[in-house]
Amino acid sequence: MNGFSSFSRIAVGLALILTSLRVTPAQGQFGGSEVLNPKVYHAPGGKFSLTVDPSDRCARGAATYHCQENGQAKWSVTLPFTLWDAGITDEGIVGGYSYTEGYAGIRDTGDFVVAILSPKGEILLKETTPRETSRFPHDYSDPKARGLIVDGPNDRMVLRISDPDVNRAQETWWGYQLSKATASEKLVPVNLMPNSEVARSILDVKPVPNTPLTLVHWWRYDNKQPQGGRAGARFTLIDLQAKPVWQLDLPTDYEVPGDEKAEDNLRHLIRQGVGILGTNEPGRFDILVAAQKAKKSFSVKSVSGKWEVQEISQVAFDLTAKSKPQPLNLPEISLTYMDSVTIQTVPPAPVSGIHSFTFDGNGQIAFLRSDEPIRGKVSPTTFIQIDQQGKVLRQIPLAVDVQANSQWTGCAWIGGTQFLLTHSNQGFESKSRGWWLDTKTGKLTAVTGFDCPAVDRLLGFADGDWVALATVRHKFTSTSSMLAFDSRGQRRWERTDDSNRQGEDQLFGVKDIARTSRDEIVVLGNVLNTVKVFNREGHVQREFDLAESWKREPNYASSIATDRDGGFIVEDFDGKFRFIRMKSDGSVHAEFTPKYEDGRLVNTSDGVQVAPDGRLWACDGNCLVRLTEQGIVDHVVGKAPQPTELNRIASLSVDRKGQIYAVDDRTGSIHVFDRTGKLRHGCQSLPTDFQNAVFQSAMAMNDQEEVYLGLGDGLSFDEDERQFSHFSATGQRLENVKLPANRCYFQPGTGNVVAIRMNEILLIDPSGQVLQTIRRSPDGNWLNYLNQVAVGADGSIAILNQGAIHLYQSNGDPIRTIALPQALGHFPSLAYDGTRAVISGECGLLLVDNAGKSVRSCRPAEWKDTANEFGEPFLVAGGQELLLYSHGTPILHRYKLP
């Protein structure tokens, strides 16, 4: 059985270098992986090694420690703390640090522990410091270490401790004497350095062998220079008291004028620790001089009590080689193409593919209709105008030259037969383009000099003026503004989202805007949960607090729309009611959640609007619905959700016989096809099964060809259980069942359930007894964010996780881990039949036998124009055939496997 696609969660592995210092990936301000896998530490001379095996994935609590001397067991002990990072000297002394409640320390801050162990594994030092919650958002509890030096020749251990003040970023070094297992001084290296104002933070630190010196790589940034500063490097050699004895400044070394992409790549490499290229030889170190694309080597020696540093060599260093994708270097094979299978879907209705719907002054409905997007290409878009009965009045293709990966973002009536349309690119600093459309003549006229960032919402006025909510996207942030234009397209005024909230006419945390029937502009701010009412000149007239008006806190105020009589409608996503109707004075008029008469919720993906006659309308992207005052659908334009029809496929699976199971994205009904694509039967959903459009469905089939579908809008993250609809082999609806995880598979031949949770797998027998819990891969590492899991015909289990396939026997016992190339990309898919696995990723297809002796690659000709995605694989016909499902289409390609 094959796994399901899911948003990738990337877990960053720990790469800790011993007897030197390295910043661990988890130390960043916004955090990284909190998982600590078993680690093996080696003494510099190779005599001793230490294995730390955590009992908990986040390094909370105890760990088992094994020390070897010359490959033979020396001692083994279980200690009540887990060293997050450690080192071992040539004398067998161990030093390191621990977080008793894990690195994050969020639920319980816990303690920070510094430990030194004797050559026999005895605790010589256990220094405990209570941790405190950081006062900076998204940062973890303090103290936290940025790295560790265990330096036996100099009888010292140094912990680099992050500055609790993230903006200041002046780390402190905690020193310890290893032989006496005692703390020494605490130093702030930047304070001991002259002209330190440009030394912003430490990037890397490494001791220089056979000396008491340490090489420090600083991020150097001078914001007093023109163009906002100069970014480069400072390298210093410091003594045991952290005082500099040598310094080299490269003020602009990390700038690439005129090539922003190359500059970004360079700085990314530098942050990965490329600045210091080596400290492997006694009295010598190597650094990168990026501007010269060179590795420079220096010697260090003491002369008459002073340290002399000399450059001794320089060789070319290829910066691009570090960032280039590495070739697979795998044997390539060709697959025999057999045929394609097209499963039966209902053609889209004339009124479908709807976005940006609005009304003109006569109550006629206008919207933009886009075809299914093709990766890397522009989707054809048509302006549609219909009456309220669904009669198509006008279809005007928007035949203008637009960029790929951009989109139409606005459609607004601006009086008479005139509409304004906007098209926006989502790149940095990008601008929108605008066109006037005359529906009488069908003529599109470009708005010359259109000066507006990417449009999020477009409002039109009957006199030809308009207002846009727009966003300027910078490299590391974005800024929202409300901009007003006259009928000639000239900007009249602008209000910018201001985090300092200076002036009552400014915006703060703006989420959406709407035009009222009195031509006022209402602005929804969902940070403070307020609505501000502006006049046409951009000045605030009134302001309302939603919590006060609603007599409860909003769940997530996500959009605002026009209501009649100067009022407005606020959408509260996943709140008590989906929409709250408010009068012009801020009081609540009514609350409702749009539904069909049978109780099915309306997926209001394109919001609600009020027609000139005062009636409410909503749109789910596939049809338009008119609502009663109570929010009940009383009229549909287009096609309402039909449980018996397969429109767009939300997810698809294939069983071992080749039968195809497709889930409709509007209803959640499952449509079952034979291996040729002929419809066998349907498994109809109930109106109350799903709250919104269906995506990333969790589906499973058992030996009896019964089908189970996880209920809810998407993948549940409940670690315990989930409701599944249940259908017989002929499509008869049976009683819902509760299965023990958000995704479950049925193990062939046993009736057991393989339950997939975020970080573990449970093997559960039909009575509900847990037979096995799998938390680790066969190589001993922790499983982390399980997205791709498959069960073979023999009941064995395959997991695609963190760049490897992990195989388990049918009883859950580990078999082996098979490492894979790093070119899979972020969203690989897995198929497995018990004998071999197929992985689909950015590199194409990988075929892996379960013994791990053969990994081969393939790039089928039928997919040669596909960018970054090779479909979802399924193994059928006893593993002899491969089906590749093309996402967003009803097509599967069939191949004969060698």
Side-chain angles (χ1 to χ4, degrees):
M1 184 169 295
N2 296 280
F4 300 104
S5 300
S6 180
F7 290 118
S8 177
R9 297 177 178 229
I10 304 173
V12 183
L14 297 174
L16 306 177
I17 298 180
L18 311 178
T19 71
S20 66
L21 184 149
R22 173 91 178 256
V23 179
T24 64
Q27 310 297 330
Q29 177 185 358
F30 299 103
S33 172
E34 298 172 41
V35 175
L36 185 68
N37 286 315
K39 292 290 296 182
V40 180
Y41 302 89
H42 298 277
K47 179 180 179 181
F48 293 102
S49 66
L50 174 73
T51 301
V52 181
D53 190 359
S55 63
D56 173 79
R57 64 186 300 105
C58 295
R60 295 169 294 205
T64 302
Y65 298 78
H66 301 280
C67 181
Q68 289 189 330
E69 181 178 2
N70 296 322
Q72 301 298 315
K74 181 175 176 61
W75 55 263
S76 180
V77 66
T78 297
L79 299 177
F81 52 83
T82 300
L83 293 179
W84 185 271
D85 193 7
I88 184 169
T89 71
D90 286 334
E91 292 73 34
I93 297 175
V94 175
Y97 60 88
S98 170
Y99 305 98
T100 61
E101 291 298 326
Y103 173 73
I106 294 176
R107 295 179 181 176
D108 185 349
T109 56
D111 296 325
F112 181 73
V113 176
V114 180
I116 296 176
L117 308 181
S118 76
K120 296 181 179 180
E122 303 160 324
I123 298 176
L124 301 178
L125 172 71
K126 183 184 177 186
E127 179 185 88
T128 300
T129 303
R131 301 184 76 194
E132 296 180 356
T133 302
S134 174
R135 61 188 179 90
F136 288 85
H138 311 296
D139 199 18
Y140 291 152
S141 298
D142 293 304
K144 48 186 174 289
R146 300 195 70 221
L148 173 71
I149 297 172
V150 176
D151 184 6
N154 289 303
D155 192 24
R156 64 169 182 155
M157 178 173 70
V158 177
L159 275 68
R160 285 173 56 202
I161 303 299
S162 294
D163 192 339
D165 187 332
V166 171
N167 296 323
R168 185 176 57 191
Q170 296 180 358
E171 62 183 59
T172 301
W173 289 19
W174 295 6
Y176 298 84
Q177 187 174 0
L178 290 171
S179 60
K180 295 183 178 180
T182 57
S184 54
E185 65 275 7
K186 293 184 178 180
L187 305 171
V188 181
V190 72
N191 292 341
L192 303 174
M193 179 172 50
N195 61 335
S196 63
E197 63 276 2
V198 296
R200 301 297 178 177
S201 60
I202 296 175
L203 294 170
D204 202 0
V205 178
K206 285 184 169 66
V208 179
N210 284 16
T211 76
L213 303 180
T214 302
L215 179 63
V216 184
H217 178 200
W218 300 81
W219 174 258
R220 188 188 192 281
Y221 190 81
D222 188 353
N223 58 11
K224 295 181 181 180
Q225 295 296 320
Q227 291 84 42
R230 287 288 183 260
R234 171 175 289 179
F235 293 94
T236 59
L237 284 172
I238 63 175
D239 62 19
L240 295 178
Q241 287 73 46
K243 295 180 180 178
V245 301
W246 173 84
Q247 179 172 304
L248 173 65
D249 275 313
L250 303 169
T252 61
D253 209 43
Y254 302 148
E255 295 188 346
V256 185
D259 193 336
E260 186 177 357
K261 183 176 181 181
E263 186 174 89
D264 285 345
N265 289 337
L266 170 61
R267 294 181 183 182
H268 175 72
L269 288 174
I270 295 302
R271 286 191 291 270
Q272 299 307 306
V274 176
I276 297 178
L277 296 176
T279 56
N280 301 316
E281 298 183 27
R284 175 172 167 164
F285 64 89
D286 308 317
I287 63 170
L288 169 66
V289 180
Q292 299 178 25
K293 298 181 180 178
K295 179 178 79 169
K296 291 192 176 185
S297 299
F298 296 81
S299 65
V300 183
K301 61 181 178 179
S302 178
V303 178
S304 301
K306 293 184 178 181
W307 291 99
E308 289 188 359
V309 180
Q310 292 184 336
E311 182 180 335
I312 57 176
S313 68
Q314 175 176 322
V315 297
F317 187 88
D318 186 359
L319 291 170
T320 61
K322 291 284 186 178
S323 56
K324 287 179 181 176
Q326 298 302 307
L328 289 178
N329 293 325
L330 293 174
E332 292 192 10
I333 61 170
S334 297
L335 301 182
T336 302
Y337 185 73
M338 299 176 65
D339 56 20
S340 63
V341 180
T342 301
I343 59 179
Q344 176 185 340
T345 59
V346 176
V351 177
S352 61
I354 305 165
H355 65 92
S356 303
F357 90 98
T358 189
F359 292 90
D360 67 9
N362 297 319
Q364 296 171 339
I365 304 171
F367 61 89
L368 302 180
R369 183 180 70 203
S370 296
D371 295 341
E372 281 294 320
I374 300 173
R375 186 185 295 272
K377 298 182 180 180
V378 177
S379 301
T381 300
T382 304
F383 174 89
I384 307 290
Q385 193 169 35
I386 60 176
D387 64 21
Q388 294 189 16
Q389 301 308 309
K391 179 182 178 181
V392 177
L393 305 176
R394 293 167 188 85
Q395 297 190 64
I396 304 173
L398 303 182
V400 295
D401 183 24
V402 295
Q403 294 179 325
N405 300 318
S406 58
Q407 58 188 345
W408 292 94
T409 51
C411 175
W413 176 68
I414 52 174
T417 59
Q418 298 289 317
F419 284 81
L420 177 70
L421 309 179
T422 57
H423 193 275
S424 303
N425 187 294
Q426 301 304 307
F428 297 140
E429 318 290 340
S430 63
K431 297 282 189 178
S432 293
R433 299 169 65 192
W435 287 267
W436 285 297
L437 173 63
D438 188 331
T439 58
K440 185 176 181 180
T441 64
K443 183 179 179 180
L444 271 172
T445 304
V447 181
T448 58
F450 191 71
D451 184 17
C452 184
V455 172
D456 301 310
R457 179 75 73 185
L458 190 66
L459 312 178
F461 296 88
D463 59 5
D465 289 1
W466 74 84
V467 172
L469 177 64
T471 300
V472 179
R473 292 174 176 85
H474 309 285
K475 185 182 297 187
F476 301 112
T477 187
S478 62
T479 303
S480 296
S481 297
M482 184 168 62
L483 306 100
F485 297 83
D486 64 21
S487 58
R488 297 170 300 164
Q490 301 300 306
R491 189 183 294 185
R492 296 179 56 236
W493 51 261
E494 178 179 358
R495 299 290 179 263
T496 302
D497 200 326
D498 181 7
S499 60
N500 294 318
R501 288 176 268 173
Q502 299 296 316
E504 63 178 14
D505 288 342
Q506 295 302 318
L507 309 177
F508 176 69
V510 59
K511 179 65 176 177
D512 197 12
I513 63 174
R515 176 187 61 83
T516 73
S517 60
R518 297 174 183 172
D519 278 356
E520 293 179 312
I521 306 162
V522 285
V523 178
L524 173 65
N526 71 345
V527 174
L528 300 178
N529 287 321
T530 60
V531 171
K532 281 187 174 183
V533 183
F534 288 75
N535 63 17
R536 289 280 297 271
E537 300 305 315
H539 300 303
V540 172
Q541 306 299 296
R542 302 179 300 282
E543 182 175 357
F544 309 113
D545 183 287
L546 294 181
E548 291 181 4
S549 296
W550 297 0
K551 303 299 189 292
R552 66 176 184 275
E553 288 291 333
N555 184 64
Y556 183 77
S558 56
S559 72
I560 193 167
T562 303
D563 204 349
R564 55 179 178 246
D565 300 324
F568 46 91
I569 307 171
V570 177
E571 181 177 10
D572 188 25
F573 178 78
D574 208 25
K576 181 179 180 181
F577 295 93
R578 188 64 180 255
F579 294 96
I580 295 86
R581 303 180 72 175
M582 301 179 67
K583 298 179 181 179
S584 62
D585 63 3
S587 61
V588 174
H589 170 247
E591 300 174 308
F592 67 96
T593 298
K595 297 179 181 180
Y596 290 91
E597 288 187 351
D598 62 3
R600 184 186 302 275
L601 295 181
V602 177
N603 174 30
T604 53
S605 59
D606 206 25
V608 298
Q609 298 284 337
V610 171
D613 63 3
R615 294 298 302 271
L616 281 168
W617 288 74
C619 174
D620 69 354
N622 295 282
C623 68
L624 293 152
V625 296
R626 191 179 65 195
L627 306 172
T628 66
E629 292 293 301
Q630 292 73 38
I632 305 301
V633 174
D634 67 357
H635 177 55
V636 179
V637 175
K639 184 178 291 185
Q642 300 292 332
T644 59
E645 296 181 353
L646 177 60
N647 295 276
R648 189 164 55 186
I649 298 172
S651 62
L652 181 143
S653 190
V654 181
D655 66 17
R656 294 179 184 85
K657 296 180 180 179
Q659 295 184 135
I660 302 164
Y661 301 78
V663 180
D664 182 79
D665 74 333
R666 296 183 75 191
T667 66
S669 288
I670 305 169
H671 302 263
V672 184
F673 302 84
D674 67 17
R675 67 188 313 273
T676 68
K678 180 181 179 181
L679 181 67
R680 291 189 58 208
H681 60 265
C683 304
Q684 291 189 28
S685 66
L686 298 176
T688 54
D689 280 346
F690 301 95
Q691 302 299 308
N692 280 302
V694 182
F695 68 98
Q696 296 185 322
S697 312
M699 184 165 38
M701 292 77 72
N702 62 17
D703 290 342
Q704 292 74 43
E705 298 183 18
E706 296 176 331
V707 187
Y708 299 77
L709 182 67
L711 301 180
D713 303 332
L715 286 179
S716 167
F717 291 101
D718 188 344
E719 285 288 287
D720 297 322
E721 55 191 21
R722 184 178 185 181
Q723 287 284 341
F724 281 71
S725 58
H726 181 198
F727 300 91
S728 72
T730 59
Q732 180 184 357
R733 178 82 182 229
L734 305 175
E735 186 176 355
N736 287 355
V737 298
K738 189 176 288 186
L739 295 179
N742 66 70
R743 285 177 297 156
C744 292
Y745 304 122
F746 289 92
Q747 191 178 47
T750 66
N752 295 335
V753 173
V754 179
I756 316 302
R757 296 182 176 177
M758 184 175 293
N759 298 314
E760 65 181 16
I761 293 176
L762 303 181
L763 184 61
I764 302 173
D765 71 13
S767 70
Q769 180 181 353
V770 177
L771 303 175
Q772 181 76 277
T773 300
I774 304 173
R775 295 192 177 98
R776 298 202 191 207
S777 57
D779 61 5
N781 290 331
W782 298 101
L783 297 174
N784 202 31
Y785 298 126
L786 298 177
N787 291 325
Q788 292 293 326
V789 180
V791 180
D794 59 354
S796 59
I797 301 168
I799 302 172
L800 179 61
N801 191 237
Q802 300 183 66
I805 289 183
H806 309 291
L807 300 178
Y808 302 82
Q809 296 177 11
S810 59
N811 65 357
D813 289 344
I815 301 175
R816 66 180 54 86
T817 291
I818 304 172
L820 298 173
Q822 296 180 355
L824 293 176
H826 297 317
F827 304 100
S829 297
L830 169 70
Y832 174 69
D833 68 345
T835 301
R836 61 178 159 189
V838 176
I839 301 101
S840 170
E842 291 183 9
C843 61
L845 300 177
L846 297 183
L847 278 69
V848 184
D849 72 281
N850 62 358
K853 297 179 179 179
S854 173
V855 180
R856 296 172 291 174
S857 67
C858 178
R859 186 174 284 266
E862 290 73 25
W863 298 79
K864 62 182 179 181
D865 295 326
T866 305
N868 299 327
E869 186 174 354
F870 271 70
E872 189 162 3
F874 301 93
L875 289 169
V876 299
Q880 300 305 305
E881 294 178 6
L882 172 69
L883 282 175
L884 278 177
Y885 167 55
S886 177
H887 291 284
T889 76
I891 301 173
L892 296 94
H893 295 278
R894 192 192 314 271
Y895 299 86
K896 186 74 174 178
L897 289 176

